């Protein structure tokens, strides 16, 4: 599946207002489904689908009938998604909150399936044909990719409201696959706050800190917004104008983070045949009040999500390993050297190795990834203490397990001196 996003342009205020009404109606249907599930024990997905017709035919809610029938079904599907996720968490007995379904207060999107809209022949305009009659909009897409796909390939259309306008997302049924030219390089990366990440070869990528750089403008805009707020009264037009300005500043920071994550993940995948990263639990890390803002600003989770996505598209191996003691253990002799967060240099008292803390961690992460691959390929997954280099196997690892999309031989690109005691291997 591929998502193509285009902005809805050249519409009147009345047209955009009707899109807002469709979004609010979708929110009403979704919340009604959640309420029905709460009040009726044993509710299934089919019951929620039938409820959509009941709401459409109800004289007390005539506006629901204006929304396209498939859009109502999509809203019910959203409700059932949250319900089924709650059931899964309960059955898994996770220790944290189970994610009990909540009512949506500020929905920003409405989703159509195959009806309720009509595309022009040149794919540059879209007309919404449901009961709200939002009319025709121009589609502005920077990449002009929508013209390459037929209407039969478009499975869903979602209208999204953002601070700077309305967007249309097209879910296209196409298999995306890119050719990856083997580079013979493998690497491990250590995510950090001083640098965005450091790889096993010692290369670093600067942490842009987009939120920190925009804080002065955000604080000024938010002060102006708070001065215009009137408690217990209807807010003025100037308040809502300033609210949109604040939202646009936050939207810009969000887009900067996403652009950075995409570009760095793509560059990393294109230049390596194997990437190993640490599986950080960002939800737990942000509980540290002193570092929460910096951790959120680094957008580690978003970066790893795009890294996995591009690894699948380019058919390379991407492995996540536990982060435990990667910064403490020596990458040469394995001696555990305790450090505080302020200690940025690793100095081993056993082998006298002096190396940057993040570089040392990146090498340890790569070692863990290679050990995991060795254990998996030789059928000893779970025996974490088993060294894959001491198994007496061939230097060529034949890969045929759970990690998919390995398309070529990967020859280790790090010298023995950089990797400490890890000898050269090949992975297939």
């Amino acid at each position: 599946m591929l998502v193509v996003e285009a902005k809805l342009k050249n519409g009147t205020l009345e047209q955009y207002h009707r899109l807002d009404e469709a979004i609010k109606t979708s929110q009403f249907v979704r919340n009604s489904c959640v309420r029905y599930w709460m009040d009726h024990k044993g509710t299934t997905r089919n019951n929620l689908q039938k409820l959509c017709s009941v709401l459409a035919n109800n004289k007390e809610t005539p506006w629901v009938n204006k929304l396209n029938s498939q859009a109502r079904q999509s809203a019910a599907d959203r409700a059932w998604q949250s319900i089924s996720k709650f059931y899964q968490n309960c059955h898994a007995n996770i220790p944290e909150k189970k994610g009990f379904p909540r009512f949506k207060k500020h929905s920003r999107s409405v989703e159509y399936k195959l009806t309720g809209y009509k595309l022009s022949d040149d794919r540059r305009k879209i007309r919404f044909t449901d009961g709200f009659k939002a009319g025709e909009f121009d589609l502005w897409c920077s990449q002009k990719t929508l013209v390459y796909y037929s209407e039969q390939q478009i499975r869903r259309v979602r209208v999204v409201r953002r601070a700077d306008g309305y967007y249309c997302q097209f879910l296209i049924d196409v298999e995306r696959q890119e050719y990856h030219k083997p580079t013979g390089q493998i690497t491990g990366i250590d995510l950090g706050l001083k640098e965005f990440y450091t790889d096993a070869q010692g290369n670093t990528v600067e942490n842009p800190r987009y939120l920190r750089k925009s804080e002065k403008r955000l604080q000024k805009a938010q002060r102006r917004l708070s001065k215009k707020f009137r408690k217990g009264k209807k807010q003025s037009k100037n308040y809502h104008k300033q609210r949109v300005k604040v939202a646009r500043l936050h939207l810009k920071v969000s887009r900067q983070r996403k652009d950075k994550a995409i570009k760095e993940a793509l560059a990393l995948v294109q230049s390596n045949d194997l990437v190993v990263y640490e599986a950080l639990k960002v939800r737990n890390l942000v509980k540290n009040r002193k570092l929460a803002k910096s951790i959120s600003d680094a957008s580690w989770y978003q970066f790893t999500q795009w890294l996995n996505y591009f690894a699948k598209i380019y058919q390379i191996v991407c492995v996540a390993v536990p982060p435990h003691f990667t910064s403490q253990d020596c990458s040469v002799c394995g001696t555990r050297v305790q450090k505080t967060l302020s200690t940025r240099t690793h100095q081993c008292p056993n082998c006298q190795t002096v190396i940057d803390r993040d570089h040392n961690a990146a090498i340890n992460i790569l070692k863990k990834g290679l050990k995991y691959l060795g254990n998996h390929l030789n059928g000893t997954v779970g025996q974490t203490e088993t060294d894959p280099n001491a198994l007496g196997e061939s230097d060529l690892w034949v890969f045929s397990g759970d990690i998919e999309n390995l398309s070529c031989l990967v020859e280790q690109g790090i010298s023995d001196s950089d990797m400490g005691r890890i000898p050269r291997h090949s992975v297939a």
Side-chain angles (χ1 to χ4, degrees):
M1 291 293 183
L2 181 67
V3 177
V4 176
E5 185 174 275
K7 190 170 185 178
L8 297 177
K9 303 275 285 187
N10 299 332
T12 63
L13 290 177
E14 179 63 23
Q15 286 179 280
Y16 292 125
H17 178 68
R18 291 178 179 178
L19 287 179
D20 281 334
E21 290 180 344
I23 292 173
K24 291 178 182 178
T25 304
S26 176
Q27 172 184 300
F28 173 79
V29 174
R30 189 258 180 202
N31 290 342
S32 299
C33 291
V34 173
R35 169 54 63 187
Y36 184 85
W37 169 77
M38 291 179 180
D39 296 339
H40 298 80
K41 186 177 180 180
T43 301
T44 64
R45 180 175 179 271
N46 290 335
N47 297 135
L48 298 185
Q49 295 291 330
K50 293 177 182 178
L51 180 63
C52 295
S53 299
V54 175
L55 293 173
N57 297 325
N58 191 347
K59 294 182 180 180
E60 296 180 359
T61 57
W63 63 87
V64 178
N65 194 34
K66 292 183 179 181
L67 188 64
N68 178 264
S69 60
Q70 292 187 355
R72 297 195 297 263
Q73 294 171 5
S74 296
D77 288 339
R78 289 189 189 182
W80 184 252
Q81 266 188 335
S82 62
I83 294 169
S84 61
K85 182 66 177 178
F86 170 68
Y87 285 152
Q88 291 175 7
N89 292 339
C90 291
H91 293 157
N93 292 325
I94 61 173
E96 302 174 357
K97 293 182 178 180
K98 307 300 187 295
F100 190 85
R102 297 182 178 181
F103 297 110
K104 287 287 185 181
K105 189 176 181 180
H106 300 292
S107 291
R108 298 180 182 178
S109 64
V110 57
E111 188 177 88
Y112 300 88
K113 292 184 180 179
L114 301 177
T115 60
Y117 64 92
K118 179 65 177 177
L119 282 170
S120 62
D121 294 335
D122 58 359
R123 308 289 188 276
R124 294 185 179 181
K125 293 184 179 181
I126 185 171
R127 175 182 292 275
F128 294 98
T129 59
D130 59 351
F132 290 104
K133 298 180 181 178
E136 190 175 69
F137 297 87
D138 291 338
L139 294 173
W140 184 83
C141 183
S142 59
Q143 298 178 346
K144 305 294 182 184
T145 53
L146 195 60
V147 297
Y148 299 109
Y149 306 104
S150 63
E151 285 193 43
Q152 289 73 24
Q153 291 179 290
I154 299 176
R155 309 309 302 170
R156 298 204 176 195
V157 173
R158 176 178 291 178
V159 179
V160 182
R161 181 182 67 238
R162 296 201 178 101
D164 62 339
Y166 293 77
Y167 292 81
C168 205
Q169 295 177 342
F170 297 88
L171 181 63
I172 300 174
D173 186 9
V174 60
E175 191 69 27
R176 183 183 176 187
Q177 186 172 340
E178 302 287 346
Y179 172 73
H180 175 71
K181 184 178 180 180
T183 62
Q185 299 293 324
I186 62 175
T187 191
I189 58 172
D190 175 66
L191 301 172
L193 297 178
K194 181 182 177 183
E195 306 292 344
F196 185 67
Y197 75 77
T198 303
D199 63 18
Q201 290 79 13
N203 304 316
T204 60
V205 174
E206 180 186 4
N207 186 3
R209 298 180 175 88
Y210 293 117
L211 181 60
R212 296 288 185 181
K213 293 178 181 178
S214 303
E215 269 187 327
K216 288 186 178 180
R217 284 181 295 171
L218 278 168
Q219 289 172 357
K220 185 176 181 180
Q222 288 169 341
R223 279 198 303 267
R224 289 180 177 178
L225 179 65
S226 61
K227 288 179 181 179
K228 292 178 171 61
F229 179 76
R230 298 293 179 265
K231 186 176 180 180
K233 298 181 181 179
K234 184 178 180 180
Q235 305 305 320
S236 64
K237 291 185 178 179
N238 288 334
Y239 170 84
H240 290 291
K241 287 180 182 179
Q242 187 63 28
R243 178 180 58 81
V244 172
K245 290 181 180 179
V246 174
R248 286 184 176 180
L249 289 175
H250 282 288
L251 181 62
K252 181 180 179 180
V253 173
S254 175
R255 286 173 171 169
Q256 286 176 322
R257 289 174 180 167
K258 181 179 178 181
D259 183 69
K260 176 72 174 179
I262 290 175
K263 289 179 178 178
E264 294 299 338
L266 181 59
L268 199 61
V269 167
Q270 289 179 336
S271 58
N272 292 278
D273 296 335
L274 169 66
V275 179
V276 186
Y277 68 93
E278 50 187 345
L280 297 174
K281 291 187 177 180
V282 181
R283 180 185 297 180
N284 295 338
L285 292 174
V286 294
K287 293 178 181 179
N288 186 333
R289 295 184 179 181
K290 295 183 178 180
L291 299 176
K293 184 184 291 187
S294 298
I295 292 173
S296 300
D297 197 14
S299 64
W300 292 336
Y301 178 78
Q302 184 172 219
F303 171 71
T304 54
Q305 290 293 102
W306 282 106
L307 189 63
N308 282 304
Y309 170 75
F310 285 122
K312 181 179 179 181
I313 296 300
Y314 283 85
Q315 296 184 336
I316 75 163
V317 176
C318 186
V319 183
V321 298
H324 307 98
F325 305 111
T326 53
S327 296
Q328 309 292 336
D329 294 345
C330 180
S331 58
V332 177
C333 65
T335 303
R336 186 157 297 170
V337 183
Q338 298 295 333
K339 308 179 189 69
T340 61
L341 287 175
S342 59
T343 305
R344 305 313 305 172
T345 303
H346 169 77
Q347 297 179 346
C348 180
N350 185 32
C351 62
Q352 309 302 320
T353 299
V354 179
I355 191 175
D356 181 76
R357 173 198 181 110
D358 295 337
H359 187 193
N360 176 73
I363 296 175
N364 285 330
I365 290 169
L366 180 56
K367 279 186 174 183
K368 280 191 174 184
L370 293 174
K371 179 179 287 188
Y372 171 81
L373 289 175
N375 292 339
H376 185 89
L377 298 175
N378 294 281
T380 57
V381 173
Q383 301 178 18
T384 56
E385 299 299 322
T386 302
D387 187 355
N389 304 324
L391 294 175
E393 300 289 342
S394 169
D395 285 343
L396 186 66
W397 293 348
V398 181
F399 198 87
S400 60
D402 295 335
I403 301 178
E404 302 176 353
N405 301 322
L406 184 61
S407 58
C408 60
L409 295 177
V410 181
E411 184 176 346
Q412 185 174 357
I414 301 176
S415 63
D416 295 343
S417 58
D418 290 336
M419 283 296 299
R421 295 184 175 181
I422 294 184
R424 291 185 175 273
H425 285 278
S426 297
V427 183

